[in-house]
């Protein structure tokens, strides 16, 4: 793939990783692959904004060579330390050792602790600018969106925002722009990205969006570091982020469970019938079978979570336990939750679920439901009623 010109003299020189299927240490499955986007700005000075994951350094450098000799690069903006964006720096710096790397103070520390490079580093802060000739770049620190070092770069002359991970999607494609790809896949991956990476940072994101709004920046293009570039309607993703970050979920319930011999699954299905008859939308997933990245995405706009597990060694089963560890870290707001599960002689699973739900900052909306061995007809009716009661709470009853 040749470099792609986004604006006159500004090129995508990233790579498409079609085959990556897990991210962040297997906490996130990337069913559509991803891209690592780097952008080359050719002006009186030559500037590269971010690099790519290390194994792809050669491909990025080859793409840069199509435009300029990499030895001519004057500046490299490191918006973020994480290795999927900085991994190619050591290889690149060998070709342009005179280049100045710019980033936040935390970025300087982080890059050194990753690569131990003897590079010239210029620390930048919010409001600092860098002149490239006809164009300039302005920097905006964005701590914890999503690492302490994170930063956005903005080019006012081109109305171009380069926000690194923010507004990205794990979506490999032969195309580079939002008007060239399937909109459902694009927004699905943008939502998946938000739910699985940014959800716990929602309060900070709302604050940052407000800060950017007050600056009244003209933005005609948003070029993130993963996936598709927003040029047709860049504010579409900004508005979507604002809606997700506000955490105003819909009257919808996600039932996530794990079952040993099918009893907890029968309970889950009976509960779902009650939710349906209460008029509440629901989705039901066995987390031992379903991609948890998908389940978490579904939970982003659901007001209710019902978690179920059979009891094993007086505890939860391992897949739902691991799943809840992830959910706990999201600290979801404005949610209702409940626990259910079958047991043989001790019902420890529901107590464990209740404990994790409370740690996540959610008070259980109704007493947990435990049933010994297989639910009989009467017990299935109790499960159904549990679903109805939870559904009524979701609807505010
Ligand atoms: Fe935070 Fe795409 O790395």
């Amino acid at each position: 793939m040749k470099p792609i010109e986004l604006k006159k003299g500004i090129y995508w020189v990233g790579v498409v990783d079609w085959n990556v299927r897990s991210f962040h240490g297997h906490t996130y499955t990337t069913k559509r692959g991803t891209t690592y986007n780097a952008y080359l700005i050719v002006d009186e000075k030559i500037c590269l904004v971010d690099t790519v994951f290390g194994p792809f350094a050669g491909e990025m450098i080859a793409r840069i060579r199509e435009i300029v000799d990499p030895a001519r690069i004057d500046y490299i903006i490191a918006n973020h330390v994480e290795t999927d964006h900085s991994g190619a720096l050591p290889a690149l710096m060998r070709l342009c050792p005179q280049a100045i790397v710019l980033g936040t103070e935390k970025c300087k520390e982080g890059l050194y602790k990753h690569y131990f490079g003897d590079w010239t580093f210029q620390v930048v802060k919010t409001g600092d600018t860098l002149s490239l000739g006809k164009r300039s770049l302005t920097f905006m620190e964005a701590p914890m969106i999503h690492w302490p070092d994170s930063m956005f770069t903005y080019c006012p002359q081109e109305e171009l925002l380069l926000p690194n991970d923010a507004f990205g999607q794990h979506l490999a494609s032969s195309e580079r722009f939002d008007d060239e790809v399937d909109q459902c896949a694009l927004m699905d991956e943008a939502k998946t990205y938000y739910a699985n990476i940014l959800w716990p940072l929602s309060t900070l994101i709302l604050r940052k969006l407000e800060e950017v709004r007050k600056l009244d920046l003209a933005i005609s293009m948003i070029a993130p570091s993963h996936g598709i570039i927003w040029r047709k309607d860049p504010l579409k993703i900004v508005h979507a982020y604002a809606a997700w970050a506000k955490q105003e979920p819909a009257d919808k319930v996600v039932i996530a469970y794990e079952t040993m011999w099918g009893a907890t699954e029968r309970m889950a299905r009976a509960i779902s019938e009650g939710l349906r008859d209460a008029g509440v939308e629901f989705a039901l997933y066995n987390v031992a079978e379903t991609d948890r990245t998908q389940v978490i995405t579904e939970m982003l706009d659901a007001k209710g979570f019902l978690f179920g597990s059979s009891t094993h060694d007086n505890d939860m089963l391992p897949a739902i336990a691991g799943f809840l560890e992830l959910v706990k870290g999201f600290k979801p707001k404005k949610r209702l939750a409940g626990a259910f599960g079958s047991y043989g002689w001790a019902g420890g699973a529901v107590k464990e679920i209740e404990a994790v739900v409370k740690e996540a900052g959610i008070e259980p909306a109704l007493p947990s439901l435990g049933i010994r061995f297989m639910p009989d007809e009467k017990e299935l009716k109790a499960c159904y009623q549990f679903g109805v009661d939870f559904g009524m709470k979701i609807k505010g009853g």
Side-chain angles (χ1 to χ4, degrees):
M1 194 184 290
K2 297 250 181 221
I4 309 287
E5 195 168 36
L6 335 173
K7 300 250 183 189
K8 187 81 185 145
I10 303 181
Y11 303 86
W12 174 86
V13 289
V15 297
V16 181
D17 188 350
W18 291 92
N19 292 309
V20 62
R21 288 294 175 268
S22 62
F23 220 79
H24 283 165
H26 296 268
T27 59
Y28 186 140
T29 55
T30 44
K31 65 181 185 294
R32 292 186 172 108
T34 194
T35 76
Y36 313 106
N37 297 337
Y39 301 98
L40 187 74
I41 306 174
V42 179
D43 205 311
E44 289 162 28
K45 297 287 186 182
I46 295 175
C47 176
L48 182 70
V49 180
D50 293 316
T51 70
V52 300
F53 188 34
F56 295 94
E59 187 174 331
M60 179 195 76
I61 289 166
R63 204 157 274 130
I64 292 170
R65 266 191 221 287
E66 297 261 347
I67 306 159
V68 295
D69 180 347
R72 291 181 53 208
I73 293 175
D74 298 289
Y75 301 113
I76 299 169
I77 311 300
N79 278 317
H80 181 27
V81 165
E82 199 165 9
T83 195
D84 50 331
H85 308 295
S86 66
L89 258 178
L92 183 65
M93 291 305 290
R94 284 194 285 276
L95 301 176
C96 52
Q98 83 296 337
I100 298 170
V101 182
L102 294 95
T104 61
E105 181 70 46
K106 294 275 183 202
C107 181
K108 179 183 177 184
E109 294 165 17
L111 283 182
Y112 185 75
K113 279 298 289 162
H114 275 71
Y115 307 111
F116 309 100
D118 183 21
W119 306 329
T120 306
F121 195 100
Q122 182 179 329
V123 171
V124 292
K125 299 188 293 304
T126 295
D128 287 354
T129 60
L130 174 72
S131 174
L132 300 177
K134 294 186 188 66
R135 305 179 188 86
S136 62
L137 298 176
T138 304
F139 306 107
M140 178 185 287
E141 293 162 272
M144 295 317 297
I145 302 177
H146 70 125
W147 275 25
D149 54 271
S150 297
M151 178 176 90
F152 297 173
T153 295
Y154 176 67
C155 178
Q157 296 80 8
E158 302 289 354
E159 302 182 349
L160 172 64
L161 182 65
L162 300 148
N164 194 264
D165 278 331
F167 309 123
Q169 341 84 44
H170 287 311
L171 176 56
S173 170
S174 56
E175 311 307 324
R176 298 273 58 82
F177 296 101
D178 55 349
D179 49 297
E180 299 173 325
V181 298
D182 177 82
Q183 295 301 295
C184 291
L186 175 60
M187 291 312 292
D188 178 53
E189 289 302 338
K191 182 181 175 187
T192 301
Y193 192 94
Y194 189 95
N196 286 273
I197 296 181
L198 301 173
W199 187 351
L201 311 170
S202 291
T203 304
L204 290 173
I205 289 169
L206 271 183
R207 214 176 287 152
K208 184 57 66 181
L209 289 175
E210 181 58 15
E211 192 184 323
V212 173
R213 190 191 65 77
K214 281 186 181 156
L215 291 173
D216 201 22
L217 302 178
I219 297 175
S220 66
M221 188 180 287
I222 298 177
S225 58
H226 292 293
I228 297 302
I229 297 163
W230 306 89
R231 73 175 174 190
K232 180 174 178 237
D233 183 8
L235 293 185
K236 180 177 178 178
I237 190 62
V238 176
H239 293 149
Y241 265 49
W244 295 325
K246 275 182 196 154
Q247 302 206 61
E248 285 171 355
D251 287 356
K252 173 176 138 184
V253 174
V254 171
I255 307 173
Y257 68 95
E258 184 174 6
T259 193
M260 193 155 64
W261 292 110
T264 298
E265 181 159 275
R266 279 198 203 179
M267 292 179 71
R269 296 183 78 85
I271 290 167
S272 73
E273 295 290 316
L275 286 169
R276 190 199 59 196
D277 287 353
V280 172
E281 180 189 347
F282 69 91
L284 182 146
Y285 298 108
N286 179 343
V287 296
E289 306 293 341
T290 306
D291 171 18
R292 63 188 178 193
T293 297
Q294 180 191 346
V295 183
I296 286 166
T297 306
E298 191 80 43
M299 289 169 67
L300 181 65
D301 55 7
K303 192 192 286 180
F305 307 150
L306 288 173
F307 301 119
S309 177
S310 315
T311 292
H312 179 267
D313 288 342
N314 209 26
D315 208 335
M316 288 181 269
L317 289 170
I320 188 74
F323 179 79
L324 287 175
E325 272 303 309
L326 275 180
V327 171
K328 188 174 74 179
F330 293 151
K331 298 272 184 266
K333 293 195 168 51
K334 305 177 195 168
R335 317 291 164 139
L336 301 177
F340 65 94
S342 78
Y343 61 93
W345 47 96
V350 291
K351 292 192 190 78
E352 291 298 319
I353 294 171
E354 281 173 15
V356 178
V357 160
K358 284 180 185 165
E359 278 184 70
I362 314 173
E363 272 304 307
L366 69 184
S368 300
L369 181 64
I371 286 175
R372 187 161 178 257
F373 293 128
M374 282 291 166
D376 60 20
E377 279 306 307
K378 192 173 154 203
E379 288 164 330
L380 282 174
K381 281 190 181 139
C383 293
Y384 170 86
Q385 192 58 46
F386 182 88
V388 170
D389 293 346
F390 192 74
M392 295 313 289
K393 287 194 178 287
I394 291 293
K395 292 170 80 176

